[in-house]
Amino acid sequence: MQRRGLFLSLSIFLILIPVVLFSYDENTTHPGLTSEIVEFYNASFPKRAISAEEKKWIVQGSMDEDTWPRWINHFYDPVYNQGWTAEGFGTISSSTGRWLNSILLSDHPPLASKYWAQSPSTQAEYKDFGGNQTWQRALASYASGDKQAAFLALGHILHLLEDATVPEHTRNDTHAHPLHLFTGDDGSPYEKYAKRYSSKTVFPINAASLVRAGVRPVALSTLTAYFNALAFYSNTYFFSKDTVQTAKYALPVVIRSDNDYGYGKDRDGSIFPLARKVAQRKADFSWATAFVLNDVVTDQVILEAYFDRLSRAAIVHGAGVVQLFFNQALSGQVIEQPTEVSGVHSILADVTKVRVGVIDVATKVQQLVSNVVPAVDNQPQVLGEKIFPESPVFNYPVVPSPLVVYGGGGGGGVVSQPIVFIDASIPVVTTSTIAVTTTVETVVVTSTEPIVTVTSTPVAPIVTSTSPVVTTTVPIVVVTTTIPMPTSTPVLPVVSHDPVYLNGRQTTTLRTLTKAEGPYMLVYYEIPVGMMLAMEPGTIVKSLYNDSKIDIFGSLTSNGVDEDMVILTSGRDKQTSDGLAFGNWNGSSPQAKDWQGLWFHTGSSGVLYGMEMRYAGKSFRVNNFLYTGFVSQAIRVESSDVRFDGVHFLYDGDVAVRLENSSATIVNTFFDHGVRAVESLLTSVVMDTVTFVNFSEVHGPVYLRDMWPTMSNVILENNTADVVYVESALVTSTARLASAMIYYLNNITVAAGATMNIDSGSLVYIADTGFIQVNGTLVAEGTDSARIHFRSYVDKTFWGALRFDGGHGRLSQVVLEDGNYNFPTPAERGGMIMLLNGSDVLIDDSVVSERRNPGNTIYVNHSTLVMNNSSIGQNDHAQFANVGILIDEGTVSLAGVMFENLQIAIKVVSLPLPSVLVSDSTFEAVDYVSDPPGIFVP
Amino acid sequence: MENRTKMFVAVGAIFLFMGTLVFLDLWRGSLKTDFTTMLRTTKQSADSIERADYEVALGDTYGGATPEEVIGLYHAAAVAGNYVLASKYFIADKQPIELQALQQAETAKLRTYLDLVAQPAEKMCDGEQCTLVIKLDGPDYFMRFKQYPNKLWKIVEL
């Protein structure tokens, strides 16, 4: 029975582990990140580039490291210098988890990943589970000529480094995903978010973009230093799901917040969303404000900010580890490897050796890794003791070249960009001592010197305070090593003849692109103020890079015609006249977001005739405000005038055209595939003969805010929602809602003097709590066979009101349903139709039916209502206080009106009693005809 | 005892001690070999438990066809004072916690809260997860849901 109980416990334990300890997905994110690391390394060190076959082995190794049950060794908490401790283990307590672990793997306690990566003797005992795949194994295999084994092991190491960029792995935050049906815990939202990235997708920060930005791999002296750097970064700058503002970790700190997010500060000074701010129900149903990070659905902005930073750190450090590997491997030192065994241990061996938990392992690690340079961190694992900073022992070796890190590219010569040391374990670097205050802040040293060198004599630092703020004095480090310059010239595709590159800033007032000279390869192109770029019919422009774009400060014109269109497209688009000649990205298929697109900056203009815009929309940041997150906009227009005539948009990212403070005319244009086609803010938009098909946005392919558009012959087909969404728009003259198009409206205002006409047969959706405020005139006249419907957009939600405020209305053959949600107006002063401040409204042959209780169906305040042959009320008689018409001064005249399912048909709350004329009216399931009684004769 | 006898006893004791160590060593080595096998067997058992967990969830009939529906059911049950039923609309792990909270809640606070959750909410979904967001003047209120294998939605967090 006891054995059964133990077995069950072990089973529960093990069932928790498999997904619990995975963070980046072994089939998507890990191979993707590893691939980017190799690419970045190859771009940075082309003289010893990794071949395709070697890369394949490395990627395979990075996937194999998650072999069961190796992942118990994939944690490293740098603050407490711990491996996995089973904290945050769902319904099983940490102590229980550790106890089970001590039974299960008493001779194999989970090692911190930085030890595991360098512990051949321990890994050798995992013979049946992947065996020895350590750093030493990689070096030894390479030295013996077994490159496949070497690169497979290197892949295992990169996997561990990538895990060190996952906050859950460095903040000891376990998740019980396999029991998600019981616990509702779907695991790390960061992990789930990162899953979307693989070797087949484009990472937001990738090798190509880093190379273009002049970033260099981070060069550190030991593998341990890399683990420390990454683990400290992910631990101290980011939250994990269950460690948001917990007492255990003082960092990161929410430096400010708004109603949506709490924000943190990255080491480069940028501000980014750290956690979501929520109203939280406490156990006693009182309320508190809290910060959380628990939902991949609602936390996209945060997770995106996390992934951008952490994946970048993984790539730039990972490439540095690859370079370190070659530096050490090429030194030719052969390391003897332990024999792999199948988990058989000898008590005699235990008796004859001093084994004090992991200290023994750590000692071995230190001995093994000391073959090249002294370890930066050789401290044993001490469970539960907080150490911060990571070790009081600073041992600065002479750093082999290349040293640094974020230098600039560009044709050889000298480093002129700032030098940035990412690794806090090597505090940097001035001509005298330096005080490193707080935690793991990056120190930036600007240098224009062509020669940079490092020599140092280790001096123990003076630790003057304890966590979380530490002031440490570190020794002088004088830099004297030459930094090899990166070669930033891109590797160009093979072409049949010399391509013309669109690169840099235009220098002539007018430049014309021609069909004959093209196809052009777009690198990055800028049209300055006062200059024009013109594209003749048949011109083809293909992107060279993922973030290729044209910045327009002057003018851009396209003069294509139907039979010879101008084409702007992805470098791997084969559907152009050049076939595969240019921009063939390894022959793969084009897809949305292959390149960035066009950006019209303030004061620019664009007249685009006969143009095809394909596969643009690569995400970018607007104005480098990191907290704004990325946007995907194939064409971005800011305070400019643009005209699209005969343009075909195809697969252009999340938003094909984004308009801000601009003027846009879109005619004879076709939008095909994407999330949203047009997004407009404060822009005058004219659309005529425009078609939208295959867009996935739930609110429709068109979103227009602030200004009412002029639209005719707009066709919406096969979209998730075939509606035009207009929000917070002001109608200032005459607006027409055509029945051929379905509108989704939210908070529309018809200004005084303006008129909104709604065609018969129109269907008007209104957003949750949304309203149409009429200060001018609203005319909605349907017919018996083609009524006009106002209803909520989402089932079981309620829109607000037709709110006449000093306005005029004529409603005929209209059906109004499911409104009267006028947040924050109190229910007793609201209604689905509201007449305020001298309004006058005529309603004929209509149905005014609402289900939201309590409240009024129609609210009359100092206004005049005439209603004939209509019905007011609800579908069912509710128990709540609901009123058909509430009158607070004004005049009401009713003829042939049916009240149904109401508590009170007509209620008056003002004195003297207003004029209420009622004739030929009926009252069904109405508790009180009037309040006060007898104010009219039914 | 003669010295010769003492020596034999001492040598015998040493041999016995060494023999015991050898026996224990072999025995423990054997256990460790079994342990490797046990890892594999245990994993198979763990897979079975996971399947059982799935089956239990499959048979859970307390839920809604949509997140909105299950919150409506929760609301109706709570308004009616049927707290046991209301708590059953949560995922299994949270049911006793919610039941205790409902039973101990002050009436006024609970009523205010139930009025709130009945408000229209914005829905955001990703596969088997959905979140309903009620807009408030300050930070918004988030209600999280999960879809069980039988397609019924359960409340994860209110």
Side-chain angles (χ1 to χ4, degrees):
Chain A
M1 192 67 186
Q2 284 180 334
R3 279 178 69 89
R4 219 172 136 191
L6 174 62
F7 198 72
L8 181 63
S9 299
L10 292 173
S11 298
I12 292 171
F13 169 69
L14 287 169
I15 195 175
L16 290 170
I17 293 178
V19 182
V20 166
L21 300 184
F22 288 164
S23 60
Y24 286 140
D25 190 277
E26 80 274 22
N27 294 316
T28 59
T29 322
H30 272 303
L33 264 180
T34 305
S35 180
E36 291 297 335
I37 288 170
V38 172
E39 291 301 321
F40 186 51
Y41 167 82
N42 279 349
S44 305
F45 303 102
K47 289 183 180 175
R48 180 41 189 103
I50 292 170
S51 69
E53 187 177 36
E54 291 167 345
K55 177 183 174 183
K56 189 177 166 189
W57 291 330
I58 293 174
V59 170
Q60 186 60 48
S62 76
M63 297 166 72
D64 292 345
E65 178 57 28
D66 267 333
T67 299
W68 192 91
R70 298 176 72 90
W71 9 256
I72 65 170
N73 304 293
H74 290 188
F75 275 34
Y76 168 41
D77 177 345
V79 175
Y80 294 89
N81 200 26
Q82 289 176 325
W84 181 58
T85 59
E87 290 176 55
F89 204 41
T91 52
I92 293 183
S93 71
S94 170
S95 58
T96 306
R98 280 201 299 271
W99 176 74
L100 288 168
N101 179 63
S102 68
I103 295 171
L104 186 64
L105 296 170
S106 56
D107 286 299
H108 308 273
L111 294 183
S113 57
K114 68 175 181 179
Y115 298 126
W116 168 253
Q118 302 171 92
S119 181
S121 57
T122 300
Q123 289 208 19
E125 293 176 325
Y126 280 70
K127 180 184 178 185
D128 297 339
F129 308 101
N132 176 11
Q133 302 293 344
T134 55
W135 182 249
Q136 293 86 345
R137 167 68 184 276
L139 293 172
S141 297
Y142 193 87
S144 64
D146 187 351
K147 289 191 175 180
Q148 181 174 0
F151 287 114
L152 278 169
L154 182 59
H156 282 257
I157 299 298
L158 293 179
H159 177 117
L160 298 172
L161 281 160
E162 291 157 11
D163 275 354
T165 65
V166 178
E168 278 79 6
H169 276 241
T170 58
R171 296 168 71 88
N172 244 321
D173 189 356
T174 323
H175 294 290
H177 183 274
L179 293 179
H180 64 108
L181 296 174
F182 178 77
T183 65
D185 186 346
D186 277 314
S188 160
Y190 179 70
E191 166 203 350
K192 290 192 73 175
Y193 176 85
K195 231 175 190 175
R196 67 190 62 185
Y197 294 108
S198 71
S199 53
K200 295 176 181 172
T201 60
V202 179
F203 277 62
I205 305 293
N206 52 49
S209 64
L210 290 169
V211 169
R212 278 193 303 282
V215 176
R216 296 285 296 162
V218 171
L220 301 173
S221 56
T222 65
L223 184 62
T224 304
Y226 281 101
F227 275 103
N228 289 341
L230 289 175
F232 264 108
Y233 180 52
S234 60
N235 176 292
T236 56
Y237 285 89
F238 303 88
F239 288 129
S240 66
K241 178 170 175 279
D242 289 335
T243 65
V244 177
Q245 293 191 321
T246 54
K248 183 177 179 182
Y249 298 105
L251 298 172
V253 173
V254 174
I255 60 170
R256 67 176 176 83
S257 69
D258 54 25
N259 280 340
D260 297 321
Y261 300 110
Y263 296 89
K265 188 175 185 180
D266 200 357
R267 59 188 174 191
D268 62 6
S270 62
I271 308 297
F272 67 101
L274 257 184
R276 181 163 41 92
K277 194 173 182 181
V278 299
Q280 197 169 62
R281 189 199 88 178
K282 296 167 71 174
D284 64 352
F285 290 87
S286 61
W287 292 90
T289 298
F291 293 102
V292 298
L293 177 60
N294 60 6
D295 192 340
V296 73
V297 180
T298 56
D299 296 346
Q300 294 267 335
V301 171
I302 303 165
L303 298 171
E304 180 185 59
Y306 276 38
F307 190 74
D308 287 355
R309 289 163 170 79
L310 292 166
S311 64
R312 183 189 197 279
I315 294 169
V316 298
H317 284 76
V321 166
V322 175
Q323 172 66 358
L324 179 66
F325 168 76
F326 283 119
N327 282 349
Q328 296 190 2
L330 294 173
S331 69
Q333 187 167 355
V334 178
I335 303 165
E336 189 175 336
Q337 295 301 298
T339 304
E340 294 182 345
V341 292
S342 295
V344 179
H345 254 237
S346 166
I347 286 181
L348 287 178
D350 289 346
V351 170
T352 54
K353 70 183 180 184
V354 178
R355 186 174 65 84
V356 187
V358 189
I359 295 175
D360 178 43
V361 176
T363 305
K364 293 176 190 172
V365 171
Q366 182 191 352
Q367 292 165 353
L368 288 164
V369 300
S370 62
N371 51 37
V372 179
V373 289
V376 168
D377 180 358
N378 56 9
Q379 293 304 291
Q381 185 176 21
V382 183
L383 296 180
E385 180 184 345
K386 187 171 183 177
I387 54 170
F388 196 93
E390 30 124 7
S391 168
V393 178
F394 285 88
N395 188 5
Y396 299 112
V398 175
V399 181
S401 66
L403 174 61
V404 178
V405 225
Y406 291 6
V414 301
V415 173
S416 58
Q417 282 76 11
I419 300 171
V420 180
F421 286 79
I422 299 244
D423 180 34
S425 66
I426 301 183
V428 185
V429 176
T430 66
T431 54
S432 61
T433 56
I434 179 171
V436 180
T437 305
T438 71
T439 57
V440 196
E441 292 290 339
T442 297
V443 180
V444 178
V445 180
T446 302
S447 170
T448 56
E449 294 298 320
I451 303 296
V452 187
T453 49
V454 174
T455 58
S456 72
T457 302
V459 177
I462 303 165
V463 179
T464 56
S465 69
T466 56
S467 171
V469 177
V470 180
T471 299
T472 305
T473 304
V474 298
I476 298 171
V477 180
V478 182
V479 179
T480 58
T481 300
T482 302
I483 300 175
M485 290 310 302
T487 54
S488 64
T489 305
V491 179
L492 300 175
V494 176
V495 294
S496 57
H497 62 276
D498 290 341
V500 176
Y501 291 94
L502 297 179
N503 193 12
R505 178 177 292 186
Q506 184 170 316
T507 55
T508 55
T509 305
L510 173 64
R511 179 176 180 182
T512 302
L513 306 183
T514 65
K515 182 178 182 178
E517 194 179 43
Y520 296 87
M521 296 305 302
L522 174 63
V523 182
Y524 161 76
Y525 196 74
E526 178 182 322
I527 307 169
V529 174
M531 297 186 184
M532 173 183 284
L533 180 69
M535 297 181 284
E536 289 189 347
T539 297
I540 298 173
V541 177
K542 302 180 81 170
S543 64
L544 182 62
Y545 290 131
N546 187 222
D547 52 3
S548 293
K549 63 173 176 174
I550 300 178
D551 277 311
I552 302 123
F553 296 89
S555 302
L556 176 68
T557 65
S558 162
N559 299 308
V561 292
D562 285 347
E563 60 276 17
D564 212 5
M565 302 278 276
V566 169
I567 299 174
L568 277 61
T569 188
S570 160
R572 52 181 172 176
D573 186 355
K574 304 174 184 67
Q575 304 301 315
T576 55
S577 61
D578 66 317
L580 300 178
F582 293 99
N584 175 22
W585 296 354
N586 300 320
S588 52
S589 299
Q591 58 183 340
K593 304 185 183 182
D594 265 357
W595 62 293
Q596 182 171 324
L598 310 178
W599 190 338
F600 289 90
H601 295 266
T602 300
S604 64
S605 66
V607 181
L608 306 176
Y609 288 99
M611 190 181 87
E612 288 189 23
M613 181 91 176
R614 306 176 189 167
Y615 308 112
K618 184 261 176 186
S619 298
F620 63 98
R621 294 187 192 280
V622 178
N623 299 328
N624 295 319
F625 292 150
L626 294 184
Y627 54 86
T628 60
F630 284 98
V631 296
S632 166
Q633 298 162 357
I635 296 182
R636 178 177 175 83
V637 183
E638 298 172 343
S639 303
S640 301
D641 294 335
V642 291
R643 178 183 178 87
F644 304 103
D645 193 339
V647 178
H648 186 167
F649 292 89
L650 181 67
Y651 289 103
D652 284 317
D654 293 349
V655 178
V657 178
R658 163 84 173 191
L659 305 161
E660 291 185 10
N661 301 300
S662 298
S663 171
T665 301
I666 306 172
V667 297
N668 304 315
T669 290
F670 193 86
F671 292 86
D672 189 359
H673 276 93
V675 178
R676 176 174 272 168
V678 176
E679 197 171 81
S680 166
L681 283 70
L682 270 172
T683 294
S684 168
V685 176
V686 177
M687 289 189 194
D688 184 12
T689 316
V690 183
T691 302
F692 302 92
V693 297
N694 302 317
F695 285 88
S696 61
E697 165 62 42
V698 294
H699 295 132
V702 182
Y703 174 70
L704 307 167
R705 207 181 78 184
D706 306 316
M707 299 179 72
W708 188 264
T710 301
M711 293 195 286
S712 58
N713 196 22
V714 172
I715 299 167
L716 302 110
E717 291 178 350
N718 200 33
N719 303 290
T720 298
D722 289 327
V723 299
V724 171
Y725 182 13
V726 186
E727 184 176 46
S728 303
L730 178 66
V731 178
T732 55
S733 56
T734 300
R736 177 187 165 214
L737 274 64
S739 61
M741 194 165 60
I742 300 173
Y743 285 87
Y744 172 43
L745 305 180
N746 189 17
N747 300 353
I748 306 300
T749 300
V750 181
T755 300
M756 173 178 277
N757 294 298
I758 303 177
D759 286 1
S760 62
S762 292
L763 172 57
V764 181
Y765 287 116
I766 305 181
D768 183 20
T769 74
F771 58 81
I772 298 177
Q773 172 143 331
V774 183
N775 304 117
T777 303
L778 174 67
V779 179
E781 294 183 319
T783 65
D784 194 25
S785 59
R787 289 183 155 188
I788 295 168
H789 288 261
F790 293 84
R791 61 175 63 149
S792 59
Y793 186 61
V794 180
D795 285 346
K796 298 181 181 177
T797 64
F798 300 90
W799 56 282
L802 291 184
R803 188 188 301 160
F804 295 87
D805 191 350
H808 317 282
R810 201 163 66 242
L811 310 180
S812 177
Q813 296 287 2
V814 170
V815 179
L816 299 104
E817 302 168 291
D818 298 336
N820 198 15
Y821 183 24
N822 295 293
F823 183 83
T825 303
E828 63 273 16
R829 292 205 300 273
M832 190 157 64
I833 300 176
M834 299 169 65
L835 283 63
L836 311 172
N837 303 317
S839 299
D840 61 87
V841 175
L842 169 63
I843 302 175
D844 287 331
D845 304 308
S846 296
V847 176
V848 186
S849 173
E850 58 110 351
R851 288 185 292 124
R852 186 174 164 76
N853 293 296
N856 318 306
T857 305
I858 299 177
Y859 177 67
V860 179
N861 179 284
H862 293 88
S863 298
T864 301
L865 170 67
V866 178
M867 194 168 188
N868 303 310
N869 304 317
S870 299
S871 67
I872 301 175
Q874 308 206 358
N875 293 331
D876 302 304
H877 195 296
Q879 299 303 313
F880 297 91
N882 46 30
V883 177
I885 302 174
L886 187 140
I887 308 166
D888 183 3
E889 296 195 31
T891 302
V892 173
S893 176
L894 309 174
V897 175
M898 182 175 74
F899 293 86
E900 55 184 343
N901 294 317
L902 295 164
Q903 188 185 52
I904 303 169
I906 301 171
K907 181 176 181 178
V908 174
V909 294
S910 57
L911 290 173
L913 292 174
S915 168
V916 180
L917 304 175
V918 179
S919 61
D920 300 328
S921 295
T922 56
F923 301 85
E924 295 184 3
V926 173
D927 297 340
Y928 304 99
V929 171
S930 70
D931 178 17
I935 59 173
F936 64 91
V937 178
Chain B
M1 192 183 291
E2 296 180 7
N3 288 340
R4 185 185 173 86
T5 305
K6 286 181 181 176
M7 186 185 72
F8 276 122
V9 170
V11 170
I14 291 170
F15 272 103
L16 183 63
F17 176 71
M18 293 295 291
T20 303
L21 284 181
V22 169
F23 171 78
L24 287 173
D25 186 37
L26 292 173
W27 179 67
R28 185 159 184 225
S30 173
L31 270 186
K32 284 294 175 183
T33 304
D34 288 344
F35 174 76
T36 301
T37 306
M38 189 178 175
L39 284 177
R40 300 187 185 285
T41 309
T42 304
K43 187 170 190 309
Q44 292 169 3
S45 302
D47 292 341
S48 300
I49 291 174
E50 189 171 19
R51 283 196 296 275
D53 186 52
Y54 177 88
E55 294 296 331
V56 169
L58 201 61
D60 188 336
T61 57
Y62 294 94
T66 63
E68 293 91 341
E69 184 173 295
V70 72
I71 198 68
L73 291 167
Y74 165 84
H75 179 266
V79 167
N82 191 343
Y83 299 147
V84 173
L85 177 60
S87 65
K88 285 181 185 290
Y89 295 113
F90 275 72
I91 47 107
D93 195 29
K94 302 280 180 62
Q95 289 177 11
I97 301 168
E98 182 66 12
L99 177 59
Q100 185 180 18
L102 286 167
Q103 288 172 336
Q104 296 178 355
E106 293 176 22
T107 305
K109 281 185 179 176
L110 179 58
R111 186 172 296 164
T112 303
Y113 174 70
L114 292 174
D115 285 345
L116 175 72
V117 298
Q119 299 295 321
E122 181 182 345
K123 183 163 74 173
M124 289 180 276
C125 294
D126 181 10
E128 297 170 353
Q129 282 181 264
C130 269
T131 300
L132 293 178
V133 184
I134 296 177
K135 300 289 183 187
L136 301 176
D137 286 339
D140 297 332
Y141 180 57
F142 292 77
M143 301 181 286
R144 296 170 54 228
F145 303 85
K146 183 173 184 61
Q147 192 176 32
Y148 267 15
N150 57 11
K151 302 301 177 190
L152 287 179
W153 287 87
K154 304 282 285 186
I155 303 168
V156 175
E157 182 181 13
L158 290 183

